[in-house]
């Protein structure tokens, strides 16, 4: 791999070859880091050097010039030529062929130790292919019983279906997105529980909460029956109260008619006397009329003489000749008419007497009813206050019984809803812990860390002669058992390099770029060179040295060493490399 860098900050002109190990050294401020950063941007495609926004990339071009550039030529693993070119400040990157892959971590642009714990977990899960499987999630949620639906044959089927649905969501949306959704659902469920119970949420409280007015042995069917009974009692009290009111109004109406009825009775009694006199008078008038008895109604058809006909049972029993004086037809008709009129007058007079007698009997009964109504009202008035108070007490008691029964039923419903919400809160809490960054993912990741430490970090430390560098379960790195934050600067640098090389190997990078190796003393530098030369990757290392003859020269079989001064590189002489090899 041949590299040319021009006018990139402190590096004005550099030509180096990496095959496979290259060391660039020089005094401070002579362009080492500028060179390595420019190469890293070109091979990784991460052009925002130093994290600068694109509009500020002019600042990484050397002073006094308009453009900086990087040109890389080489052969990929297939033996085919490739070329990478990039020009600044436009940061336009071009490639030809199939260039090598170099990640931001391998290029020294991204730093594992700069990532937050949650981001470290996501990063390592991706690098170690440690994403939890459906079986891993099922194991973490084995103690949860999910709500059943009609299609579920049993609880086990409901759990399997629910966990599979959750895992499908995770695969579509991602672990972090689903975790946030579960957290949101948990918060809403907690708020719903507080609204139902009227109390502040507490993890222990939701397991034992019970409405104060709910009997310990309450059952829903019993509470419903109690409410129905209380409502029936209230209805009966109201009915009795309504009936009492109607009865009082009736009695008052009866009593109010007493005077009218007495007056009517007096009038009817007087009229009865008059009617009886009319009957006597009519009887006398009737008796004074001449009789028509014995006058024949028939004549003999032969002689036309009047005859008497005796009829018994509709049969003629005898016919005799009329004897005596016979009235003329006109006189007979007049007598009969007068008799009929007198009979009618008498009958009418008698009917009036009968009617008046019936009316008087009715009035006497009504007067008795009115008098009884007056007596009852008078009696009730004496106890009206006590009865009204008793009625009001009965009504209030019946109302209170209904309200109490309703409240107990509401309390039972609230308990059922609160219990369901408590179960949901507990279930969401367990799910939330499982899908959280430090949950199922971290446990799965921890299972992969032993292999990572053994296969990637340990070989680097063994080859370099360094103390053990280990990535532990909480995703912090230790050096010789001491946490990263408590180690020296050189030990921290070794940890960063070991992780950088390990991640480069994992992500398939073909080049690793390491700057600042001068922080190590001579034995540790030699260990670094030995270890990285054996890592199977192309390596570009930068370090500060005061003069060329102090540089650790590399034999041609290992790689090349370059001295950089005033922004320009020059290779160490072959004979110097040979002497260094000896």
């Amino acid at each position: 791999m041949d590299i040319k860098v021009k006018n990139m900050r402190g590096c004005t002109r550099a030509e180096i070859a990496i095959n496979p190990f290259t060391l660039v050294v020089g005094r401070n401020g002579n362009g080492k880091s500028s060179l390595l950063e420019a190469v890293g941007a070109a091979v990784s495609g991460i052009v925002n050097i130093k994290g600068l926004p694109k509009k500020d990339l002019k600042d990484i071009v050397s002073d006094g010039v308009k453009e900086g550039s990087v040109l890389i030529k080489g052969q990929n693993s297939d033996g085919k030529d490739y070329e990478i070119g990039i020009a600044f400040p436009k940061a336009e990157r071009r490639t030809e062929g199939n260039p090598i892959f170099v990640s931001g971590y391998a290029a020294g642009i991204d730093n594992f130790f700069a990532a937050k714990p949650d981001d470290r977990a996501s990063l390592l899960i991706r690098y170690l292919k440690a994403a939890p499987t459906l079986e891993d999630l099922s194991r973490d949620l084995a103690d949860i019983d999910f709500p059943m639906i009609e299609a579920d044959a049993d609880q086990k089927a409901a759990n399997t279906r629910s966990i599979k649905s959750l895992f499908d969501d995770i695969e579509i949306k991602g672990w972090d997105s689903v975790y946030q959704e579960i957290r949101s659902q948990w918060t809403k469920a907690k708020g719903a529980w507080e609204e139902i119970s009227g109390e502040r949420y507490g993890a222990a409280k939701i397991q034992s909460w019970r409405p104060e007015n709910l009997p310990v042995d309450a059952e829903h069917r019993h509470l419903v029956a109690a409410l129905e009974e209380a409502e029936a009692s209230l209805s009966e009290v109201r009915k009795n109260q309504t009936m009492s009111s109607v009865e009082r109004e009736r009695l008052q109406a009866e009593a109010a008619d007493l005077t009218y009825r007495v007056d009517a009775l007096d009038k009817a009694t007087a009229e009865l006397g008059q009617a009886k006199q009319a009957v006597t008078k009519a009887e006398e008038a009737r008796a004074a009329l001449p009789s028509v008895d014995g006058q024949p109604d028939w004549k003999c058809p032969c002689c036309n003489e009047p005859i008497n006909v005796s009829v018994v049972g509709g049969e003629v029993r005898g016919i005799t000749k009329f004897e005596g004086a016979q009235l003329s037809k006109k006189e007979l008709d007049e007598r009969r008419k007068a008799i009929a009129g007198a009979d009618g007058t008498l009958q009418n007079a008698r009917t009036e007497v009968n009617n008046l007698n019936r009316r008087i009997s009715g009035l006497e009964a009504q007067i008795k009813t009115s008098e009884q109504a007056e007596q009852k009202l008078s009696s009730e008035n004496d106890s009206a206050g006590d009865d009204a108070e008793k009625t009001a007490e009965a009504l209030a008691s019946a109302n209170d019984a209904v309200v109490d029964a309703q409240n107990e039923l509401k309390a039972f419903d609230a308990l059922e809803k609160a219990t369901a919400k408590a179960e949901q809160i507990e279930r969401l809490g367990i799910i939330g812990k499982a899908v959280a960054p430090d949950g199922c993912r971290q446990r799965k990741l921890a299972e992969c860390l032993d292999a990572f430490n053994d296969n990637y970090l340990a070989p680097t430390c063994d080859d370099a002669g360094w103390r053990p560098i280990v990535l532990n379960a909480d995703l912090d790195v230790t050096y010789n058992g001491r946490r990263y934050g408590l180690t020296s600067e050189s030990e921290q640098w070794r940890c960063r390099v070991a992780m950088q090389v390990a991640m480069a190997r994992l992500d398939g990078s073909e080049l690793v770029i390491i700057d600042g190796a001068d922080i190590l003393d001579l034995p540790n530098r030699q260990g670094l060179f030995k270890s990285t030369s054996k890592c199977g990757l192309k390596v570009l290392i930068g370090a500060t040295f005061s003069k060329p003859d102090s540089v650790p020269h590399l034999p041609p079989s290992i790689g090349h060493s370059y001295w950089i001064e005033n922004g320009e590189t020059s290779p160490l002489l072959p004979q110097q490399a040979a002497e260094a090899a000896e």
Side-chain angles (χ1 to χ4, degrees):
M1 178 190 299
D2 296 320
I3 301 174
K4 293 181 180 180
V5 177
K6 293 176 60 178
N7 299 324
M8 296 297 293
R9 284 200 302 149
C11 180
T12 56
R13 183 179 297 275
E15 294 187 15
I16 61 174
I18 302 176
N19 191 24
F21 189 99
T22 297
L23 179 63
V24 177
V25 296
R27 300 182 186 90
N28 285 329
N30 276 269
K32 298 184 306 299
S33 295
S34 297
L35 170 60
L36 269 60
E37 288 169 356
V39 174
V43 293
S44 70
I46 303 174
V47 298
N48 299 89
I49 296 174
K50 295 289 187 183
L52 291 173
K54 194 169 183 179
K55 66 182 181 64
D56 293 335
L57 289 179
K58 61 182 183 297
D59 295 339
I60 65 170
V61 177
S62 299
D63 295 339
V65 298
K66 294 182 178 180
E67 185 177 82
S69 64
V70 181
L71 179 63
I72 300 174
K73 294 182 179 182
Q75 287 187 335
N76 57 31
S77 57
D78 295 330
K80 295 183 179 180
D81 294 338
Y82 69 85
E83 186 174 306
I84 303 172
I86 187 168
F88 290 91
K90 292 183 178 181
E92 295 173 345
R93 182 175 182 262
R94 63 174 182 82
T95 61
E96 294 181 12
N98 187 19
I100 62 171
F101 169 76
V102 180
S103 69
Y105 292 98
I109 297 172
D110 296 327
N111 181 1
F112 172 81
F113 293 88
K116 295 178 181 179
D118 291 351
D119 295 334
R120 287 187 184 184
S122 299
L123 176 66
L124 287 171
I125 287 171
R126 187 171 73 252
Y127 265 72
L128 300 180
K129 295 179 174 57
T133 63
L134 175 60
E135 289 71 22
D136 296 321
L137 184 61
S138 299
R139 179 186 59 193
D140 281 7
L141 301 180
D143 295 333
I144 298 180
D145 280 339
F146 288 85
M148 295 180 64
I149 61 175
E150 187 175 352
D152 296 325
D154 50 28
Q155 185 62 58
K156 183 178 179 181
N159 295 346
T160 300
R161 172 187 54 77
S162 299
I163 295 173
K164 177 63 166 58
S165 177
L166 175 63
F167 190 77
D168 290 344
D169 268 357
I170 290 171
E171 289 195 314
I172 294 171
K173 302 174 183 177
W175 286 85
D176 291 335
S177 177
V178 171
Y179 171 63
Q180 292 303 323
E181 289 181 2
I182 297 297
R183 287 290 300 172
S184 176
Q185 292 174 20
W186 184 88
T187 301
K188 290 180 180 178
K190 184 182 74 169
W193 185 90
E194 290 179 342
E195 185 176 351
I196 293 168
S197 66
E199 297 188 21
R200 295 288 295 173
Y201 167 82
K205 184 187 295 184
I206 66 172
Q207 301 301 326
S208 59
W209 179 83
R210 186 181 185 87
E212 293 180 358
N213 63 328
L214 183 65
V216 176
D217 57 348
E219 294 184 22
H220 187 268
R221 59 190 178 91
H222 293 156
L223 294 175
V224 171
L227 176 58
E228 291 175 348
E229 183 178 349
E231 288 175 338
S233 297
L234 176 60
S235 177
E236 185 66 22
V237 171
R238 287 175 174 169
K239 180 180 178 183
N240 292 336
Q241 184 185 38
T242 301
M243 289 177 64
S244 298
S245 176
V246 170
E247 177 64 11
R248 187 173 186 81
E249 290 176 359
R250 187 189 69 78
L251 292 174
Q252 289 173 342
E254 290 285 353
D257 287 342
L258 178 59
T259 301
Y260 165 78
R261 289 172 176 174
V262 170
D263 291 344
L265 178 61
D266 292 342
K267 183 179 179 181
T269 301
E271 289 177 355
L272 178 61
Q274 296 173 357
K276 287 181 177 180
Q277 292 177 1
V279 169
T280 300
K281 185 177 180 181
E283 287 175 344
E284 292 174 349
R286 173 67 177 83
L289 291 175
S291 176
V292 293
D293 293 339
Q295 291 293 317
D297 291 327
W298 305 92
K299 288 186 178 182
C300 176
C302 296
C303 63
N304 200 30
E305 291 294 328
I307 58 174
N308 289 324
V309 179
S310 175
V311 180
V312 178
E315 293 183 2
V316 177
R317 295 295 180 92
I319 300 174
T320 60
K321 181 179 179 182
F322 175 74
E323 298 291 343
Q326 182 178 3
L327 298 176
S328 66
K329 182 176 184 308
K330 178 180 180 182
E331 186 177 1
L332 182 62
D333 290 342
E334 288 177 352
R335 285 187 181 186
R336 285 178 174 171
K337 184 176 181 181
I339 290 171
D343 287 341
T345 300
L346 179 59
Q347 181 63 38
N348 289 339
R350 288 172 176 171
T351 300
E352 179 67 13
V353 169
N354 291 335
N355 289 340
L356 286 169
N357 281 328
R358 284 194 294 272
R359 185 179 179 192
I360 288 170
S361 296
L363 286 170
E364 288 173 345
Q366 290 175 356
I367 288 171
K368 185 177 181 179
T369 300
S370 294
E371 290 172 343
Q372 290 173 344
E374 271 193 341
Q375 292 174 359
K376 193 169 185 180
L377 285 172
S378 177
S379 175
E380 285 188 355
N381 286 336
D382 293 339
S383 60
D386 292 340
D387 290 345
E389 184 176 350
K390 290 179 181 178
T391 300
E393 288 177 356
L395 183 61
S397 177
N399 269 319
D400 290 344
V402 170
V403 171
D404 289 344
Q406 289 174 337
N407 288 338
E408 287 184 356
L409 188 57
K410 288 178 181 178
F412 188 89
D413 291 340
L415 177 61
E416 286 193 327
K417 291 177 181 178
T419 300
K421 280 299 172 187
E423 292 173 355
Q424 182 185 18
I425 290 169
E426 183 177 10
R427 183 168 61 250
L428 290 171
I430 296 173
I431 296 173
K433 289 179 180 178
V435 301
D438 59 351
C440 184
R441 287 176 283 176
Q442 185 161 322
R443 283 188 289 278
K444 179 71 172 182
L445 180 58
E447 296 172 1
C448 300
L449 289 181
D450 289 342
F452 175 73
N453 288 321
D454 292 342
N455 299 328
Y456 291 91
L457 295 183
T460 298
C461 295
D462 292 342
D463 290 338
W466 296 345
R467 299 292 178 86
I469 296 173
V470 176
L471 179 61
N472 56 31
D474 62 1
L475 305 187
D476 194 11
V477 175
T478 63
Y479 184 87
N480 197 28
R482 187 178 296 113
R483 300 182 72 86
Y484 177 82
L486 301 177
T487 58
S488 67
E489 288 187 12
S490 65
E491 289 171 339
Q492 290 182 355
W493 189 91
R494 277 171 264 180
C495 290
R496 291 195 297 272
V497 168
M499 285 297 298
Q500 182 182 1
V501 172
M503 294 179 75
R505 291 175 59 196
L506 282 169
D507 65 28
S509 295
E510 297 182 45
L511 169 67
V512 61
I513 301 173
I514 302 169
D515 196 8
D518 50 275
I519 195 171
L520 302 177
D521 58 16
L522 180 59
N524 282 306
R525 279 200 307 268
Q526 290 175 335
L528 170 69
F529 298 153
K530 178 181 177 182
S531 175
T532 52
S533 66
K534 295 174 65 176
C535 71
L537 306 175
K538 295 180 175 63
V539 181
L540 174 60
I541 296 178
T544 298
F545 284 86
S546 59
K547 53 186 178 179
D549 57 8
S550 63
V551 177
H553 305 302
L554 300 177
S557 60
I558 296 177
H560 308 280
S561 296
Y562 293 87
W563 177 260
I564 185 167
E565 187 168 357
N566 295 324
E568 297 187 6
T569 58
S570 58
L572 292 175
L573 298 176
Q575 58 268 31
Q576 292 175 314
E579 291 171 0
E582 293 175 0

